């Protein structure tokens, strides 16, 4: 079922660069869409097959509104048919913004003397986690600048600290990481802390563009970054997240770069990345970069619909960089995770909310400032179950996205009931009354629609247990 082209299996080697720019451009230049071809490609994806680079390029080249609409409809259908109506919620937690690189697009770049620099102390980290737990968060991603201080032991200690903070029923059950590339020993050390996903974004897959934006510090080495998650795999971290910073270079090239990265993992490690991210450039402190590759909302939504179809079993993350109306549209194309109640300022989760955003204290501008509860309310209105589920990770079921997609009945047996259980915990412990009423009404509806009577019975029993104070129940 996997698209795993033999030539990549032979050509790709662990920890060796794999992007062939000419190959990518050739696909973009030669793939011509027509309505029959597009229909067949979408049907292939709906039939649970990965798309080739060439097929992806054909979708990329669709500009005729009718064809673009078909792509978006295809992504929606894929989501509805394969993934159930649920969305996983998380929050980013910035641990420190010291940085020795000078990425031109980032507020933390070393040349930006206006940025307020700091690193959370142990107690400050604990306070941020308590504030997040008090809102109902269960899954965090810890974010770091690149600095000798943020070495593997430092990241290890931060992760351990986060897992130890418990308040009432509050606890963080999964800690993901977004930090600089490490060597294999460094990744091993961080893995020991019990991390979930290690995310590293290539920013741009185009070597020339990469060189323009990254002229200083360790990040100037394109190959070291491109092969970073291979080293993570060598260290035993098979749960990795890739991404491209949309707006640095031609989005069509980046889309194929991401797919090529997936192909590389599948060719060399036999497992795709856990997630794909597509952060789009936002304003940042004293930012002054060109707008040549700015991506319109139109192209951005099309890009994400294409990614959904091209790698139908990979998790997709959409962050609060995007305004609510863009997030709402894209959610329908099969995004699996979003952040909620986001604040990316250091110590931001304990600050007075009336203070607002200050770009000199942040990496970039956030455009969706809704609280976690507001986001949850809106998901409920859309009939989507907000999920804080971490059960696969804790039950040792790795590669859950792939299982969701490929194991018949997996979503019905595990994901949907677990989403419901974690949502019920939220409703019991953190939700205001109106959310609780609407939330339980949605849960009731979901239960009524369940076909498996025995599973339904077990879920109802577990839900009753949650109502009487039991926590962390899952299938
Ligand atoms: N310092 C680490 C690194 O560079 O890998 C951690 C990553 S950084 C804290 C998280 C991500 O934010 C970057 O990889 C980049 O893709 C994204 N980012 C940086 N500046 C941005 C901006 N102005 N708008 C949107 N995203 C941005
Ligand atoms: Fe530093 Fe990361 Fe920002 Fe680059 S993107 S300046 S490495 S924090």
């Amino acid at each position: 079922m996997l698209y795993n082209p033999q030539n990549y299996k032979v050509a790709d080697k662990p920890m060796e660069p794999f992007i062939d720019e000419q190959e990518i451009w050739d696909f973009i230049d030669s793939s011509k869409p027509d309505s029959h071809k597009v229909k067949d490609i979408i049907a292939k994806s709906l039939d649970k097959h990965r798309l080739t680079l060439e097929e992806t390029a054909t979708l990329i080249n669709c500009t005729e509104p009718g064809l673009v609409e078909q792509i978006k409809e295809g992504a929606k259908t894929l989501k509805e048919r394969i993934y159930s109506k649920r969305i996983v919620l998380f929050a980013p937690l910035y641990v420190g913004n010291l940085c020795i690189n000078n990425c031109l697009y980032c507020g933390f770049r070393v040349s930006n003397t206006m940025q307020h620099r700091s690193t959370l102390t142990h107690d400050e980290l604990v306070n941020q986690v308590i504030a997040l737990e008090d809102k109902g968060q269960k899954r965090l991603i810890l974010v770091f600048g690149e600095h000798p201080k943020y070495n593997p032991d430092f990241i290890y200690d931060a992760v351990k600290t986060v897992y130890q903070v418990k308040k009432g029923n509050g606890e963080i059950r999964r800690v993901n990481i977004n930090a600089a590339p490490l060597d294999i020993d460094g990744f091993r050390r961080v893995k020991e802390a019990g991390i979930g996903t290690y995310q590293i974004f290539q920013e741009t897959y185009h070597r020339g563009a990469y060189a323009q934006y990254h002229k200083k510090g360790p990040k100037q080495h394109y190959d070291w970054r491109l092969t970073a998650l291979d080293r993570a795999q060598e260290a035993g971290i098979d749960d990795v997240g890739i991404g491209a910073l949309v707006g640095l270079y031609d989005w069509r090239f980046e889309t194929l770069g991401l797919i090529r990265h997936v192909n590389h993992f599948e060719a060399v490690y036999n497992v795709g990345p856990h997630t794909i991210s597509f952060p789009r450039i936002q304003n940042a402190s004293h930012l002054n970069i060109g707008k040549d590759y700015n991506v319109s909302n139109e192209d951005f939504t099309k890009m994400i619909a294409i990614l959904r179809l091209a790698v139908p079993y990979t998790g997709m993350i959409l962050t609060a960089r995007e305004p609510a109306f863009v997030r709402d549209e894209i959610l329908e194309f099969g995004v699996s995770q979003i952040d909620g109640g986001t604040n990316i300022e250091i110590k931001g989760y304990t600050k007075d909310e009336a203070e607002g955003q200050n770009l000199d204290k942040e990496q970039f501008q956030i455009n969706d400032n809704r609280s976690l509860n507001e986001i949850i309310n809106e998901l409920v209105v859309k009939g989507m179950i907000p999920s804080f589920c971490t059960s696969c990770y804790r039950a040792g079921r790795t590669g859950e996205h792939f299982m969701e997609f490929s194991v018949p009945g997996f979503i019905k047996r595990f994901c949907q009931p677990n989403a419901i259980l974690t949502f019920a915990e939220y409703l019991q412990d953190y939700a205001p009354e109106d959310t609780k009423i609407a939330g339980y009404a949605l849960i009731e509806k979901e239960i009524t629609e369940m076909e498996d009577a025995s599973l339904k019975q077990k879920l109802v029993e577990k839900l009753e247990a949650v109502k009487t104070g039991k926590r962390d129940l899952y299938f």
Side-chain angles (χ1 to χ4, degrees), residues 247-262:
L248 293 185
Y249 187 61
D250 191 316
W251 69 268
R252 302 172 304 162
F253 186 94
E254 306 297 16
T255 306
L256 290 191
L258 287 165
I259 303 301
R260 183 65 184 86
H261 206 158
V262 176

Side-chain angles (χ1 to χ4, degrees), residues 48-332:
K48 293 191 164 192
H49 289 89
R50 275 223 24 219
L51 302 184
T52 62
L53 286 175
E54 189 178 5
E55 288 158 345
T56 309
T58 304
L59 298 187
I60 284 173
N61 285 333
C62 292
T63 47
E64 202 253 297
L67 292 183
V68 175
E69 207 40 50
Q70 276 184 39
I71 293 171
K72 290 185 178 177
E73 282 304 315
K76 272 189 205 166
T77 309
L78 184 83
K79 181 192 162 61
E80 281 158 19
R81 234 190 246 175
I82 293 171
Y83 297 96
S84 58
K85 288 194 134 199
R86 90 206 124 84
I87 196 100
V88 171
L89 292 163
F90 72 96
L93 172 53
Y94 277 66
V95 179
N97 65 1
L98 308 184
C99 196
I100 52 173
N101 291 317
N102 201 40
C103 312
L104 297 186
Y105 44 81
C106 176
F108 294 167
R109 66 198 180 280
V110 65
S111 65
N112 182 16
T113 53
M114 302 306 283
Q115 182 69 224
H116 300 227
R117 308 276 169 180
S118 61
T119 304
L120 294 177
T121 63
H122 176 271
D123 289 352
E124 286 166 348
L125 177 58
V126 169
N127 287 337
Q128 295 304 298
V129 177
I130 289 174
L132 285 156
E133 288 179 359
D134 280 348
K135 297 282 187 215
Q137 302 279 6
K138 295 282 188 280
R139 305 169 58 110
L140 299 186
I141 180 154
L142 301 188
V143 187
F144 303 80
E146 177 157 6
H147 192 272
K149 187 177 170 109
Y150 310 142
N151 57 39
D153 286 335
F154 182 91
I155 297 176
Y156 173 96
D157 288 343
V159 174
K160 283 284 184 193
T161 300
V162 171
Y163 279 132
Q164 281 158 9
V165 178
K166 315 242 182 211
K167 184 177 166 209
N169 287 330
E171 62 177 351
I172 300 303
R173 296 176 182 158
R174 180 174 172 123
V175 179
N176 299 329
I177 301 289
N178 186 321
L182 303 174
D183 60 17
I184 296 175
D185 284 343
F187 278 121
R188 268 199 202 108
R189 176 69 177 142
V190 172
K191 179 183 160 65
E192 283 166 9
I195 62 162
T197 311
Y198 203 109
Q199 272 186 357
I200 296 174
F201 304 153
Q202 184 59 25
E203 318 298 11
T204 169
Y205 285 92
H206 188 269
R207 207 175 270 274
Y210 188 93
Q212 294 297 318
Y213 293 106
H214 307 101
K215 288 191 174 145
K216 257 195 197 152
K219 197 161 164 180
Q220 66 189 290
H221 302 294
Y222 174 100
D223 289 344
W224 179 249
R225 196 164 179 93
L226 187 68
T227 55
L229 293 171
D230 283 41
R231 294 192 297 282
Q233 299 269 2
E234 300 285 332
I237 301 176
D238 61 0
D239 188 336
V240 298
I242 63 172
L245 183 52
V246 180
L248 293 185
Y249 187 61
D250 191 316
W251 69 268
R252 302 172 304 162
F253 186 94
E254 306 297 16
T255 306
L256 290 191
L258 287 165
I259 303 301
R260 183 65 184 86
H261 206 158
V262 176
N263 289 346
H264 173 72
F265 282 132
E266 290 184 348
V268 176
Y269 296 105
N270 236 345
V271 54
H274 187 70
T275 53
I276 294 190
S277 299
F278 21 79
R280 188 162 53 152
I281 294 253
Q282 306 298 330
N283 194 18
S285 168
H286 307 277
L287 188 68
N288 183 18
I289 60 166
K291 294 190 173 12
D292 290 358
Y293 294 111
N294 267 10
V295 177
S296 65
N297 287 343
E298 182 66 31
D299 283 341
F300 188 58
T301 48
K302 174 175 144 187
M303 171 181 177
I304 294 161
I306 291 171
L307 281 170
R308 173 69 303 152
L309 292 168
V311 282
Y313 49 77
T314 305
M316 302 211 305
I317 302 179
L318 181 66
T319 69
R321 289 173 178 85
E322 297 300 332
F325 75 94
V326 172
R327 295 232 280 182
D328 287 348
E329 180 181 1
I330 293 175
L331 266 190
E332 313 223 340

